[in-house]
mmCIF file of all heavy atoms in Angstrom:
data_model
loop_
_atom_site.group_PDB
_atom_site.id
_atom_site.type_symbol
_atom_site.label_atom_id
_atom_site.label_comp_id
_atom_site.label_asym_id
_atom_site.label_seq_id
_atom_site.Cartn_x
_atom_site.Cartn_y
_atom_site.Cartn_z
ATOM 1 N N GLY D 1 5.187 -19.451 -19.952
ATOM 2 C CA GLY D 1 4.195 -18.852 -19.097
ATOM 3 C C GLY D 1 4.705 -18.645 -17.702
ATOM 4 O O GLY D 1 5.934 -18.578 -17.501
ATOM 5 N N LEU D 2 3.783 -18.555 -16.735
ATOM 6 C CA LEU D 2 4.123 -18.287 -15.330
ATOM 7 C C LEU D 2 3.695 -19.513 -14.528
ATOM 8 O O LEU D 2 2.755 -20.201 -14.800
ATOM 9 C CB LEU D 2 3.427 -17.087 -14.808
ATOM 10 C CG LEU D 2 3.735 -15.785 -15.549
ATOM 11 C CD1 LEU D 2 2.858 -14.602 -15.013
ATOM 12 C CD2 LEU D 2 5.194 -15.387 -15.409
ATOM 13 N N GLU D 3 4.453 -19.793 -13.449
ATOM 14 C CA GLU D 3 4.133 -20.805 -12.492
ATOM 15 C C GLU D 3 4.429 -20.353 -11.059
ATOM 16 O O GLU D 3 5.318 -19.606 -10.816
ATOM 17 C CB GLU D 3 4.984 -22.092 -12.874
ATOM 18 C CG GLU D 3 6.489 -21.789 -12.966
ATOM 19 C CD GLU D 3 7.271 -22.909 -13.518
ATOM 20 O OE1 GLU D 3 6.697 -23.722 -14.280
ATOM 21 O OE2 GLU D 3 8.488 -23.004 -13.274
ATOM 22 N N THR D 4 3.624 -20.764 -10.169
ATOM 23 C CA THR D 4 3.671 -20.284 -8.803
ATOM 24 C C THR D 4 4.820 -20.985 -8.077
ATOM 25 O O THR D 4 4.865 -22.219 -8.001
ATOM 26 C CB THR D 4 2.362 -20.545 -8.044
ATOM 27 O OG1 THR D 4 1.212 -20.009 -8.741
ATOM 28 C CG2 THR D 4 2.432 -19.975 -6.623
ATOM 29 N N VAL D 5 5.701 -20.220 -7.490
ATOM 30 C CA VAL D 5 6.801 -20.687 -6.688
ATOM 31 C C VAL D 5 6.463 -20.727 -5.225
ATOM 32 O O VAL D 5 6.733 -21.691 -4.537
ATOM 33 C CB VAL D 5 8.069 -19.876 -6.967
ATOM 34 C CG1 VAL D 5 9.207 -20.246 -6.095
ATOM 35 C CG2 VAL D 5 8.449 -19.956 -8.387
ATOM 36 N N ILE D 6 5.910 -19.612 -4.729
ATOM 37 C CA ILE D 6 5.587 -19.480 -3.276
ATOM 38 C C ILE D 6 4.696 -18.403 -3.101
ATOM 39 O O ILE D 6 4.508 -17.452 -3.888
ATOM 40 C CB ILE D 6 6.903 -19.275 -2.467
ATOM 41 C CG1 ILE D 6 6.712 -19.533 -0.961
ATOM 42 C CG2 ILE D 6 7.484 -17.891 -2.612
ATOM 43 C CD1 ILE D 6 7.950 -19.631 -0.103
ATOM 44 N N HIS D 7 3.896 -18.404 -1.963
ATOM 45 C CA HIS D 7 3.203 -17.234 -1.555
ATOM 46 C C HIS D 7 3.140 -17.186 -0.064
ATOM 47 O O HIS D 7 3.239 -18.186 0.623
ATOM 48 C CB HIS D 7 1.796 -17.072 -2.203
ATOM 49 C CG HIS D 7 0.843 -18.081 -1.896
ATOM 50 N ND1 HIS D 7 0.277 -18.149 -0.647
ATOM 51 C CD2 HIS D 7 0.256 -19.025 -2.563
ATOM 52 C CE1 HIS D 7 -0.569 -19.177 -0.579
ATOM 53 N NE2 HIS D 7 -0.607 -19.779 -1.773
ATOM 54 N N TYR D 8 2.992 -15.955 0.437
ATOM 55 C CA TYR D 8 3.006 -15.663 1.811
ATOM 56 C C TYR D 8 1.623 -15.177 2.226
ATOM 57 O O TYR D 8 0.978 -14.318 1.635
ATOM 58 C CB TYR D 8 4.039 -14.560 2.216
ATOM 59 C CG TYR D 8 5.427 -14.982 1.839
ATOM 60 C CD1 TYR D 8 5.973 -14.508 0.614
ATOM 61 C CD2 TYR D 8 6.167 -15.778 2.622
ATOM 62 C CE1 TYR D 8 7.259 -14.892 0.247
ATOM 63 C CE2 TYR D 8 7.411 -16.174 2.273
ATOM 64 C CZ TYR D 8 8.079 -15.690 1.110
ATOM 65 O OH TYR D 8 9.264 -16.137 0.719
ATOM 66 N N ALA D 9 1.057 -15.810 3.293
ATOM 67 C CA ALA D 9 -0.270 -15.534 3.720
ATOM 68 C C ALA D 9 -0.226 -14.703 4.997
ATOM 69 O O ALA D 9 0.257 -15.201 6.032
ATOM 70 C CB ALA D 9 -1.076 -16.826 3.978
ATOM 71 N N GLY D 10 -0.638 -13.463 4.936
ATOM 72 C CA GLY D 10 -0.746 -12.616 6.165
ATOM 73 C C GLY D 10 0.499 -11.879 6.577
ATOM 74 O O GLY D 10 0.538 -10.774 6.888
ATOM 75 N N THR D 11 1.632 -12.635 6.644
ATOM 76 C CA THR D 11 2.855 -12.080 7.130
ATOM 77 C C THR D 11 4.039 -12.434 6.164
ATOM 78 O O THR D 11 3.963 -13.381 5.435
ATOM 79 C CB THR D 11 3.190 -12.611 8.568
ATOM 80 O OG1 THR D 11 3.363 -14.112 8.508
ATOM 81 C CG2 THR D 11 2.105 -12.275 9.529
ATOM 82 N N LEU D 12 5.049 -11.641 6.296
ATOM 83 C CA LEU D 12 6.343 -11.902 5.527
ATOM 84 C C LEU D 12 7.448 -12.239 6.469
ATOM 85 O O LEU D 12 7.534 -11.706 7.590
ATOM 86 C CB LEU D 12 6.669 -10.650 4.707
ATOM 87 C CG LEU D 12 5.601 -10.153 3.706
ATOM 88 C CD1 LEU D 12 5.990 -8.838 3.111
ATOM 89 C CD2 LEU D 12 5.475 -11.201 2.577
ATOM 90 N N PRO D 13 8.302 -13.234 6.070
ATOM 91 C CA PRO D 13 9.406 -13.628 7.021
ATOM 92 C C PRO D 13 10.259 -12.468 7.423
ATOM 93 O O PRO D 13 10.909 -11.793 6.651
ATOM 94 C CB PRO D 13 10.185 -14.629 6.131
ATOM 95 C CG PRO D 13 9.279 -14.954 4.990
ATOM 96 C CD PRO D 13 8.367 -13.824 4.760
ATOM 97 N N GLY D 14 10.300 -12.241 8.682
ATOM 98 C CA GLY D 14 11.136 -11.225 9.299
ATOM 99 C C GLY D 14 10.657 -9.834 9.226
ATOM 100 O O GLY D 14 11.277 -8.870 9.752
ATOM 101 N N TYR D 15 9.542 -9.619 8.560
ATOM 102 C CA TYR D 15 8.907 -8.298 8.409
ATOM 103 C C TYR D 15 7.744 -8.103 9.221
ATOM 104 O O TYR D 15 7.629 -7.095 9.953
ATOM 105 C CB TYR D 15 8.582 -8.042 6.856
ATOM 106 C CG TYR D 15 8.074 -6.659 6.694
ATOM 107 C CD1 TYR D 15 8.936 -5.584 6.470
ATOM 108 C CD2 TYR D 15 6.671 -6.411 6.733
ATOM 109 C CE1 TYR D 15 8.409 -4.293 6.209
ATOM 110 C CE2 TYR D 15 6.176 -5.156 6.498
ATOM 111 C CZ TYR D 15 6.991 -4.115 6.276
ATOM 112 O OH TYR D 15 6.533 -2.808 6.066
ATOM 113 N N GLY D 16 6.749 -9.017 9.199
ATOM 114 C CA GLY D 16 5.550 -8.900 9.947
ATOM 115 C C GLY D 16 4.365 -8.925 9.037
ATOM 116 O O GLY D 16 4.421 -9.453 7.936
ATOM 117 N N SER D 17 3.250 -8.346 9.476
ATOM 118 C CA SER D 17 2.045 -8.428 8.736
ATOM 119 C C SER D 17 2.025 -7.532 7.487
ATOM 120 O O SER D 17 2.631 -6.476 7.433
ATOM 121 C CB SER D 17 0.884 -7.965 9.666
ATOM 122 O OG SER D 17 0.767 -8.774 10.775
ATOM 123 N N ILE D 18 1.338 -8.060 6.475
ATOM 124 C CA ILE D 18 1.142 -7.319 5.230
ATOM 125 C C ILE D 18 -0.069 -6.409 5.516
ATOM 126 O O ILE D 18 -1.088 -6.789 5.981
ATOM 127 C CB ILE D 18 0.780 -8.255 4.109
ATOM 128 C CG1 ILE D 18 1.867 -9.277 3.771
ATOM 129 C CG2 ILE D 18 0.449 -7.478 2.814
ATOM 130 C CD1 ILE D 18 1.462 -10.366 2.853
ATOM 131 N N GLY D 19 0.142 -5.070 5.188
ATOM 132 C CA GLY D 19 -0.871 -4.046 5.453
ATOM 133 C C GLY D 19 -1.810 -3.846 4.243
ATOM 134 O O GLY D 19 -1.381 -4.113 3.059
ATOM 135 N N ALA D 20 -2.966 -3.275 4.557
ATOM 136 C CA ALA D 20 -3.965 -3.137 3.498
ATOM 137 C C ALA D 20 -3.519 -2.133 2.422
ATOM 138 O O ALA D 20 -3.821 -2.143 1.218
ATOM 139 C CB ALA D 20 -5.262 -2.656 4.061
ATOM 140 N N ALA D 21 -2.621 -1.098 2.823
ATOM 141 C CA ALA D 21 -2.188 -0.059 1.928
ATOM 142 C C ALA D 21 -0.662 -0.164 1.617
ATOM 143 O O ALA D 21 -0.094 0.841 1.151
ATOM 144 C CB ALA D 21 -2.573 1.306 2.438
ATOM 145 N N ASP D 22 -0.069 -1.300 1.812
ATOM 146 C CA ASP D 22 1.341 -1.414 1.611
ATOM 147 C C ASP D 22 1.712 -1.218 0.158
ATOM 148 O O ASP D 22 0.942 -1.549 -0.762
ATOM 149 C CB ASP D 22 1.781 -2.857 2.027
ATOM 150 C CG ASP D 22 1.954 -3.058 3.563
ATOM 151 O OD1 ASP D 22 1.672 -2.055 4.193
ATOM 152 O OD2 ASP D 22 2.299 -4.106 3.974
ATOM 153 N N GLN D 23 2.893 -0.609 -0.057
ATOM 154 C CA GLN D 23 3.390 -0.304 -1.400
ATOM 155 C C GLN D 23 4.670 -1.069 -1.635
ATOM 156 O O GLN D 23 5.604 -1.156 -0.785
ATOM 157 C CB GLN D 23 3.648 1.175 -1.576
ATOM 158 C CG GLN D 23 2.476 2.061 -1.355
ATOM 159 C CD GLN D 23 2.762 3.500 -1.425
ATOM 160 O OE1 GLN D 23 3.432 3.974 -2.369
ATOM 161 N NE2 GLN D 23 2.401 4.316 -0.429
ATOM 162 N N LEU D 24 4.764 -1.709 -2.842
ATOM 163 C CA LEU D 24 5.989 -2.451 -3.202
ATOM 164 C C LEU D 24 6.718 -1.653 -4.275
ATOM 165 O O LEU D 24 6.108 -1.039 -5.154
ATOM 166 C CB LEU D 24 5.623 -3.780 -3.795
ATOM 167 C CG LEU D 24 5.106 -4.875 -2.762
ATOM 168 C CD1 LEU D 24 4.749 -6.134 -3.612
ATOM 169 C CD2 LEU D 24 6.112 -5.162 -1.679
ATOM 170 N N PHE D 25 8.081 -1.731 -4.247
ATOM 171 C CA PHE D 25 8.962 -1.101 -5.225
ATOM 172 C C PHE D 25 9.978 -2.125 -5.604
ATOM 173 O O PHE D 25 10.717 -2.646 -4.818
ATOM 174 C CB PHE D 25 9.621 0.194 -4.572
ATOM 175 C CG PHE D 25 8.642 1.214 -4.117
ATOM 176 C CD1 PHE D 25 8.216 1.188 -2.846
ATOM 177 C CD2 PHE D 25 8.157 2.193 -5.004
ATOM 178 C CE1 PHE D 25 7.274 2.128 -2.339
ATOM 179 C CE2 PHE D 25 7.234 3.112 -4.543
ATOM 180 C CZ PHE D 25 6.795 3.133 -3.213
ATOM 181 N N VAL D 26 10.079 -2.367 -6.911
ATOM 182 C CA VAL D 26 11.021 -3.335 -7.471
ATOM 183 C C VAL D 26 12.369 -2.727 -7.523
ATOM 184 O O VAL D 26 12.581 -1.599 -8.074
ATOM 185 C CB VAL D 26 10.626 -3.785 -8.829
ATOM 186 C CG1 VAL D 26 11.658 -4.717 -9.456
ATOM 187 C CG2 VAL D 26 9.250 -4.538 -8.791
ATOM 188 N N ALA D 27 13.358 -3.435 -6.914
ATOM 189 C CA ALA D 27 14.760 -2.827 -6.889
ATOM 190 C C ALA D 27 15.796 -3.903 -6.641
ATOM 191 O O ALA D 27 15.536 -4.796 -5.761
ATOM 192 C CB ALA D 27 14.847 -1.769 -5.817
ATOM 193 N N ASP D 28 16.914 -3.900 -7.281
ATOM 194 C CA ASP D 28 17.990 -4.796 -6.975
ATOM 195 C C ASP D 28 18.895 -4.043 -6.074
ATOM 196 O O ASP D 28 19.875 -3.491 -6.412
ATOM 197 C CB ASP D 28 18.779 -5.166 -8.305
ATOM 198 C CG ASP D 28 19.912 -6.154 -7.962
ATOM 199 O OD1 ASP D 28 20.030 -6.602 -6.821
ATOM 200 O OD2 ASP D 28 20.720 -6.384 -8.899
#
């Protein structure tokens, strides 16, 4: 199954605030 490792509330390290319409793209 899945288990929670970490989560970020409000902001991301070195990036800033998470926006309401932010888009994520998975990439190595």
Side-chain angles (χ1 to χ4, degrees):
L2 301 174
E3 53 194 23
T4 306
V5 174
I6 196 169
H7 65 69
Y8 300 99
T11 61
L12 298 173
Y15 181 87
S17 298
I18 302 170
D22 282 1
Q23 300 176 52
L24 290 178
F25 301 91
V26 174
D28 180 9

